[in-house]
Amino acid sequence: MEFYKNKKKSAQLIFICSAILLALIAVFLYSIGLFTGTTATKLAGISAALGLLLLVVIIRMLVSLNRSAPMLVLSQEGISSAVTAVSKAAGLIYWKDIQHISLTKVGWDTLVELTVSRPEHYMPLIKKKLSAMAVSGIEGSAGNLQIFLTASELDMDANELFETIQDYRKKISQYDQAEV
């Protein structure tokens, strides 16, 4: 089962990020004294750094807008996802390693949280592709990984994604039990 990028949702996300970028540019111009003649170097530095970071994100989003590969794949073996950096870096997450699936509210987004066992298998893959800052805190207190999936760019919302994953997992486990 494959899920692709919803171009309308992606365009809305790009529009929102662009509006935030414009606000950061205005803050930067204000902080360098363009309007008042007074400079605020810390504010200028922070707004410039955040603006550059957001500009890179917008460019990456524009480049991936016409991506034809699926963003999320549910297969017999497990879940392959490119909806978040950590899920993409983890590669195929096997069903047998997924201990729990739940919904988690983070900011304005609701995410599907996968509690994954065998961190010794996934962490080297994730650390190889991402910086140490991006992977800090993804291991839970029990030593399991918490990998989040977002539906923000898919043709569904988080509740639908959660239900779809749960139903597919149930179907796979019934199929596996029938074979035994």
Side-chain angles (χ1 to χ4, degrees), residues 9-173:
K9 279 175 129 179
S10 298
Q12 288 174 340
L13 225 51
I14 292 170
F15 178 74
I16 291 168
C17 289
S18 298
I20 294 169
L21 179 62
L22 288 175
L24 284 171
I25 290 170
V27 168
F28 175 76
L29 293 175
Y30 175 80
S31 64
I32 62 170
L34 187 65
F35 306 119
T36 61
T38 310
T39 59
T41 54
K42 287 182 184 177
L43 184 59
I46 291 170
S47 61
L50 291 175
L52 287 174
L53 181 66
L54 194 55
L55 182 63
V56 169
V57 169
I58 291 170
I59 291 169
R60 291 189 73 188
M61 289 169 67
L62 284 169
V63 167
S64 71
L65 195 58
N66 289 325
R67 179 183 173 166
S68 60
M71 297 288 292
L72 183 78
V73 177
L74 303 178
S75 67
Q76 291 281 115
E77 296 82 30
I79 299 175
S80 295
S81 171
V83 294
T84 61
V86 175
S87 67
K88 183 177 182 179
L92 178 64
I93 303 168
Y94 295 101
W95 291 116
K96 65 181 180 180
D97 295 337
I98 300 174
Q99 294 180 330
H100 183 68
I101 304 170
S102 62
L103 285 173
T104 303
K105 185 86 172 153
V106 178
W108 68 62
D109 198 8
T110 302
L111 304 173
V112 176
E113 179 182 354
L114 305 176
T115 304
V116 181
S117 63
R118 293 197 322 138
E120 67 280 355
H121 172 76
Y122 298 100
M123 281 305 285
L125 297 169
I126 295 170
K127 285 182 178 179
K128 182 178 175 183
K129 296 177 183 175
L130 298 176
S131 71
M133 186 176 83
V135 297
S136 66
I138 66 169
E139 287 191 60
S141 58
N144 297 319
L145 296 178
Q146 284 139 345
I147 298 177
F148 297 96
L149 306 175
T150 181
S152 63
E153 293 187 86
L154 299 176
D155 281 327
M156 60 179 59
D157 65 13
N159 291 322
E160 290 174 284
L161 178 61
F162 173 73
E163 292 296 326
T164 303
I165 292 171
Q166 289 280 58
D167 292 345
Y168 194 87
R169 184 179 190 190
K170 206 177 293 181
K171 186 174 92 174
I172 294 298
S173 66

